[in-house]
Amino acid sequence: MTATGRPTAVELIRSDVLSPAEYAHAATAPAHARLVFLAGSCPLDADGATVAPGDHAAQAAQCVANLRQALTDAGARMTDVISTRVLVASARRADLVTAWRVVRDAFGEHEVPSTLLGVTVLGYDDQLVEVEAVAVVLDAH
């Protein structure tokens, strides 16, 4: 159950053998759940302009806001997310960590498995961050 009392299909799995992490090592969903595959959430405003050029944290925050909206539109919530991938256009580890912290903090105690990647370039002008996600929803019948 989530804090709202709504059941969640996501079961987070932590390993006692692998090194401790700020995220679960794996996650499962029941066979009868609906998977929601979200496109990469980009740091774009409602007009399609890239927000906060040069600011990894602000772009990550916009990605999270857009991800929340896409989840809502699909009938899902942040606690329904089963995995994420955070892409950061930088070769500097500090930039990756800056973006990661914003995304991680947005999920609170729902520490889903995630992959953090430094990439050469992303699709929009001045884009530094993109967040991909998969969610699992138990539809009421």
Side-chain angles (χ1 to χ4, degrees):
M1 290 286 216
T2 64
T4 62
R6 181 175 162 262
T8 181
V10 177
E11 180 183 348
L12 300 178
I13 300 165
R14 300 186 192 302
S15 173
D16 293 332
V17 178
L18 296 173
S19 66
E22 297 175 348
Y23 49 84
H25 292 96
T28 64
H32 61 279
R34 175 172 55 97
L35 294 177
V36 180
F37 296 89
L38 293 109
S41 179
C42 300
L44 304 178
D45 64 18
D47 295 322
T50 304
V51 303
D55 187 335
H56 291 88
Q59 286 200 5
Q62 184 67 46
C63 289
V64 169
N66 292 344
L67 177 69
R68 282 184 197 275
Q69 184 59 55
L71 286 165
T72 297
D73 293 345
R77 301 176 189 186
M78 294 289 275
T79 53
D80 295 323
V81 172
I82 194 167
S83 68
T84 65
R85 182 176 296 128
V86 180
L87 299 95
V88 182
S90 179
R92 295 184 56 232
R93 184 178 181 277
D95 295 336
L96 276 71
V97 171
T98 295
W100 163 250
R101 286 184 177 145
V102 172
V103 175
R104 178 202 61 204
D105 291 351
F107 281 92
E109 293 181 16
H110 186 67
E111 298 171 330
V112 299
S114 187
T115 300
L116 176 62
L117 299 167
V119 299
T120 304
V121 66
L122 291 166
Y124 292 98
D125 289 338
D126 299 317
Q127 182 183 3
L128 299 173
V129 181
E130 188 162 332
V131 180
E132 298 176 9
V134 177
V136 179
V137 177
L138 292 174
D139 288 321
H141 295 323

